[in-house]
Amino acid sequence: MAENSIPESSREEPLLSEEARKRVEELIEEEEGTHNRYTGVLAVLLTLAAVIMSLFHLYAAVEIVPAFRLRPIHVAFALTLVFLLFPIAKRFRHRLMWWDVIFAAASLAIIGYILYWGDLLGDRATVPTTLDQVVGVALILLILEANRRSSTWILPFIVSLFLAYALFGPSLPAPWTHKGYEIARLTGALYMTLEGIFGVAVDVSSTLIILFTIFGAFLQYSGAGKFFLDFSFAAMGGKPSSAGRAVVMSSFLLGGPSGSGVATTVTIGAVAYPLLAKAGYGKEAAGGLLAAGGLGAILSPPVLGAAAFLIAEFLRISYLDVILMATIPTIMFYLGIFIMVEIDARKFNMKAVALEKHHRPLELAKRYWYHFVSLVSIVVFLLAGYSPVLSVFYATLVTALVSFFQRDSALIPYDWFRGRMPWIRGFWESGFIKALEGGSVGVLNVAMTCASAGIIVGVVTLTGLGLKFSSIVLDYADSGSKGLVSLWVMFGAAATPELLHDMKLLLTALFTSLIVWVVGLAVPVTASYIICAVITAPAMIKLGVPDFAAHMFIFYYAVLSEVSPPTALSPFAAAAITGGGPYRTTLQSWKYCAPAFLLPFMFVLDPSGTGLLLGGSFKNLAAANWGSIALVAGTAAVGIAALAGGLQGWLLCKTTALERWMLIIAGLALVYPTTFADILGIVLVVIVVALQKLRPPAQTTVTT
């Protein structure tokens, strides 16, 4: 983050211990890969390559570059930079090895081969030559190795399993068996057309994701990130819950443009943890709150996570529609954390902490208002009718231009224009060049994830695995639903077709959430969403769930899987900052996120629940029933509050065991969007509130 946006900040900015700093760096590298740090001519050349990559994609945003050229060039840039910037193993860090150069050269040669043949390559995809097959196998191996370097070995391993499934279909047991595909057919489908590797995932990576990454880098180097952090801390002082509130607010403001959970957690945690400790938070509780707030970055408009761009592409809708769908769920997610923070303040008798001594939020907003312009400009351009690609391009230009409103935020120093610093060196070391470089480097692991996920999508499409898997899930759900209906009949209910359908849908949604959660334990959000979207979404859609609701359900659970071990990187990074236990910190982050875990079920269990997604598009919004939307949003908010109180064992005061279970049942009932369930939930909440109001006051607190 830039350190020049607000001078003489009065808040404490303690440095992390060396051990904590190393641990945080290790966790960031686990998500983003282990970078080499070069000096001299090599560093200049690689920076130049990254800058050229960003400039090329900015050019492609305003000029027409055919997809059969843009996507391979994007992959060529990403592969080359990955092999030069990410070592084959940690012991080779900061050294460019001969095999790295060979891998990079091979990547350029293969992409050059693809570009040379162009459309003609696709014409012979069903009967590829021997050289075509060799090139295809080499490209797949290079992508898997690049993905391993820039992320972890888990996703390449999963991709290998899918490839084995395609090759050895006849040898598999029923119902997984299929006719099998030879190398020729497989390579032809995976790289010789605009499917597979160069399909939807790489399309989104090469057009939207990299542009949003560049946009985020421009925000960072213009000082916007630091302003959002300072503004949040200045606005939330004066109450026992101020420190927790500031973490939640800054997570939303800082995470919205970044779309990165770990980065948001680390950035806020280094500043906020001492304040949380002074307020009375224990190490694990503070780390859990930081991780939960950071996780919201992947859910928060306007950028969300990389998977959100894929939703727009899969559903063939505008990215603005995805932002619209994410609006209420994002509010509900942060509402749940806010309620948890307020309960913490009362439950643990926390202390008020002065978060900012000299700066008032209005003063900061008056001085640095233009950072808000940068943040909202992209939505303004989308609403004006520009495409998402052009919107983020112009928003990046706006961010660059408004950075000059203050001397200390200018992406190119004022002294450079006045000739008071070396012309070439001054420009080369400016925030403008660093932002262009950071935009390209920041997208490398996502680009490789998208390329690897493209292989999975290609295999699923070729073998029909998606429909086969959906049929298996529906069969299990059908068997389970019949058992549940039989149990329900024992209590006097009628076994109607509607009840059977509802039970089947409930079990299908439950199975889908578990599948997404398990897949998300091992792979990043983007890969988790892509895998589950192609193999599990069809099952819910077959049961009548709107496609946009099914995809948002999967996206939401892919994000929530980020707070679950063994890949709970945000909680682990927060634990490194606070000094708490990683797994206890993860459990605390679960606590803060728990109310949000049930929210996605509202999207799919009842048609009225899609009101939380505002109809799925602006076209549907015009005919929306706002009364129904307000009702379902209101009951969801009360349900989240009830679940928070039940899980914490505290609402207005400490709950009894009966009150606690009443709140949990109320929360579960209010999440199910039907009239009977809503009435039951509201009645239970009213009873608990009345009981606590009538109870004599007691000074009962616990320690964190």
Side-chain angles (χ1 to χ4, degrees):
M1 242 170 103
E3 298 180 355
N4 57 356
S5 61
I6 297 180
E8 301 177 358
S9 177
S10 61
R11 72 163 191 268
E12 297 182 38
E13 297 192 17
L15 297 176
L16 297 177
S17 67
E18 189 63 27
E19 181 180 354
R21 187 181 300 278
K22 288 181 179 179
R23 179 58 181 151
V24 168
E25 289 177 354
E26 289 175 359
L27 289 164
I28 293 176
E29 287 175 353
E30 188 173 341
E31 181 181 70
E32 301 179 357
T34 303
H35 282 71
N36 285 324
R37 307 293 180 188
Y38 297 122
T39 58
V41 176
L42 184 57
V44 172
L45 291 175
L46 289 175
T47 297
L48 182 62
V51 169
I52 292 173
M53 180 179 179
S54 288
L55 291 175
F56 168 75
H57 284 87
L58 290 171
Y59 167 80
V62 294
E63 293 293 336
I64 297 176
V65 178
F68 69 87
R69 291 197 183 100
L70 176 60
R71 298 180 197 179
I73 291 174
H74 176 72
V75 172
F77 270 119
L79 281 173
T80 302
L81 286 174
V82 164
F83 286 126
L84 297 178
L85 286 174
F86 295 82
I88 196 170
K90 286 187 177 182
R91 65 178 179 272
F92 298 110
R93 287 189 69 177
H94 314 311
R95 290 181 289 166
L96 183 62
M97 308 304 294
W98 60 267
W99 50 76
D100 298 328
V101 177
I102 290 177
F103 286 155
S107 301
L108 291 175
I110 290 172
I111 300 300
Y113 179 86
I114 295 171
L115 293 173
Y116 173 78
W117 286 107
D119 287 340
L120 295 176
L121 194 65
D123 293 340
R124 61 173 188 262
T126 54
V127 284
T129 66
T130 302
L131 182 57
D132 291 337
Q133 296 177 50
V134 171
V135 169
V137 171
L139 178 60
I140 291 171
L141 293 175
L142 287 171
I143 288 174
L144 295 181
E145 168 60 12
N147 192 258
R148 184 195 66 81
R149 291 190 183 202
S150 60
S151 185
T152 66
W153 60 269
I154 299 175
L155 182 56
F157 175 73
I158 293 175
V159 173
S160 300
L161 292 180
F162 274 88
L163 290 171
Y165 174 77
L167 290 169
F168 305 112
S171 304
L172 298 173
W176 303 103
T177 185
H178 63 87
K179 68 176 184 178
Y181 295 89
E182 298 178 348
I183 294 291
R185 184 74 179 92
L186 200 56
T187 54
L190 292 182
Y191 94 99
M192 297 178 71
T193 65
L194 292 181
E195 303 295 335
I197 293 172
F198 301 114
V200 171
V202 166
D203 177 32
V204 174
S205 177
S206 63
T207 54
L208 281 173
I209 296 176
I210 186 169
L211 291 177
F212 274 90
T213 306
I214 295 170
F215 172 62
F218 270 76
L219 282 173
Q220 175 187 350
Y221 285 99
S222 68
K226 189 172 188 297
F227 162 71
F228 295 144
L229 192 60
D230 283 354
F231 178 81
S232 300
F233 277 69
M236 289 295 174
K239 294 184 178 181
S241 59
S242 294
R245 285 182 176 185
V247 167
V248 179
M249 182 177 179
S250 58
S251 296
F252 172 72
L253 289 176
L254 193 63
S258 77
S260 171
V262 174
T264 303
T265 299
V266 171
T267 301
I268 296 173
V271 174
Y273 172 59
L275 298 172
L276 292 172
K278 288 179 182 178
Y281 282 86
K283 294 179 179 180
E284 283 81 18
L289 177 58
L290 290 168
L295 183 70
I298 316 176
L299 295 168
S300 302
V303 176
L304 293 99
F309 306 112
L310 291 161
I311 295 176
E313 191 64 26
F314 277 134
L315 298 179
R316 300 295 180 185
I317 60 176
S318 165
Y319 181 64
L320 187 60
D321 291 336
V322 179
I323 293 177
L324 179 73
M325 288 192 290
T327 301
I328 294 181
T330 300
I331 294 172
M332 294 298 169
F333 177 83
Y334 281 108
L335 173 65
I337 302 178
F338 257 115
I339 293 172
M340 285 290 197
V341 166
E342 293 295 330
I343 292 175
D344 278 345
R346 292 160 176 76
K347 181 178 181 180
F348 302 118
N349 195 25
M350 291 183 173
K351 305 172 184 176
V353 178
L355 300 180
E356 192 67 52
K357 297 178 182 178
H358 303 302
H359 293 300
R360 296 181 179 179
L362 291 179
E363 293 175 354
L364 290 174
K366 183 177 179 180
R367 184 175 181 184
Y368 297 101
W369 59 270
Y370 54 89
H371 288 311
F372 286 119
V373 173
S374 301
L375 184 62
V376 302
S377 60
I378 184 171
V379 178
V380 172
F381 284 119
L382 285 168
L383 290 173
Y386 291 90
S387 69
V389 170
L390 281 178
S391 296
V392 69
F393 173 80
Y394 287 128
T396 303
L397 289 183
V398 168
T399 302
L401 291 174
V402 301
S403 73
F404 291 98
F405 281 26
Q406 290 283 341
R407 178 190 300 271
D408 52 10
S409 66
L411 285 170
I412 301 176
Y414 276 72
D415 287 343
W416 183 82
F417 291 102
R418 297 172 179 174
R420 296 179 181 176
M421 58 193 311
W423 188 256
I424 297 178
R425 182 178 177 183
F427 180 74
W428 186 253
E429 295 177 351
S430 67
F432 179 74
I433 295 297
K434 291 178 181 177
L436 290 174
E437 178 190 16
S440 291
V441 174
V443 83
L444 295 180
N445 64 330
V446 178
M448 289 299 95
T449 297
C450 287
S452 297
I455 298 174
I456 294 175
V457 173
V459 169
V460 170
T461 303
L462 192 64
T463 61
L465 177 61
L467 295 176
K468 190 185 299 290
F469 190 87
S470 296
S471 298
I472 293 171
V473 170
L474 290 174
D475 287 343
Y476 279 114
D478 187 55
S479 301
S481 63
K482 290 177 181 177
L484 287 176
V485 168
S486 299
L487 183 64
W488 199 254
V489 169
M490 293 174 60
F491 291 94
T496 63
E498 291 78 11
L499 179 61
L500 184 63
H501 173 271
D502 290 346
M503 291 297 103
K504 188 174 181 180
L505 179 57
L506 174 62
L507 289 177
T508 301
L510 182 61
F511 292 157
T512 300
S513 66
L514 291 174
I515 292 167
V516 178
W517 180 68
V518 171
V519 172
L521 297 181
V523 299
V525 171
T526 305
S528 176
Y529 166 75
I530 294 173
I531 294 170
C532 295
V534 297
I535 66 174
T536 64
M540 287 192 289
I541 294 172
K542 280 185 178 180
L543 292 175
V545 176
D547 55 0
F548 64 87
H551 281 261
M552 284 299 291
F553 180 93
I554 293 168
F555 170 64
Y556 209 105
Y557 266 101
V559 173
L560 291 175
S561 68
E562 284 286 285
V563 293
S564 304
T567 55
L569 298 183
S570 291
F572 285 14
I577 292 172
T578 65
Y583 287 97
R584 289 193 297 272
T585 300
T586 301
L587 291 175
Q588 288 290 325
S589 69
W590 277 355
K591 180 191 82 171
Y592 286 106
C593 295
F597 271 85
L598 291 177
L599 185 66
F601 281 90
M602 296 188 73
F603 305 163
V604 299
L605 293 184
D606 190 86
S608 64
T610 58
L612 290 174
L613 303 177
L614 295 176
S617 71
F618 276 90
K619 293 179 181 179
N620 297 335
L621 194 61
N625 185 338
W626 287 99
S628 175
I629 291 174
L631 177 63
V632 72
T635 55
V638 176
I640 286 173
L643 277 174
L647 294 173
Q648 287 267 49
W650 198 284
L651 194 61
L652 303 178
C653 59
K654 186 177 181 180
T655 62
T656 64
L658 176 62
E659 291 171 345
R660 188 168 191 173
W661 278 107
M662 288 173 69
L663 287 173
I664 292 175
I665 293 171
L668 294 173
L670 288 165
V671 164
Y672 193 80
T674 62
T675 302
F676 174 77
D678 289 345
I679 293 174
L680 174 63
I682 293 294
V683 169
L684 289 175
V685 171
V686 169
I687 292 174
V688 172
V689 171
L691 289 174
Q692 295 209 334
K693 282 285 188 181
L694 295 173
R695 185 178 307 156
Q699 298 297 323
T700 305
T701 60
V702 294
T703 60
T704 55

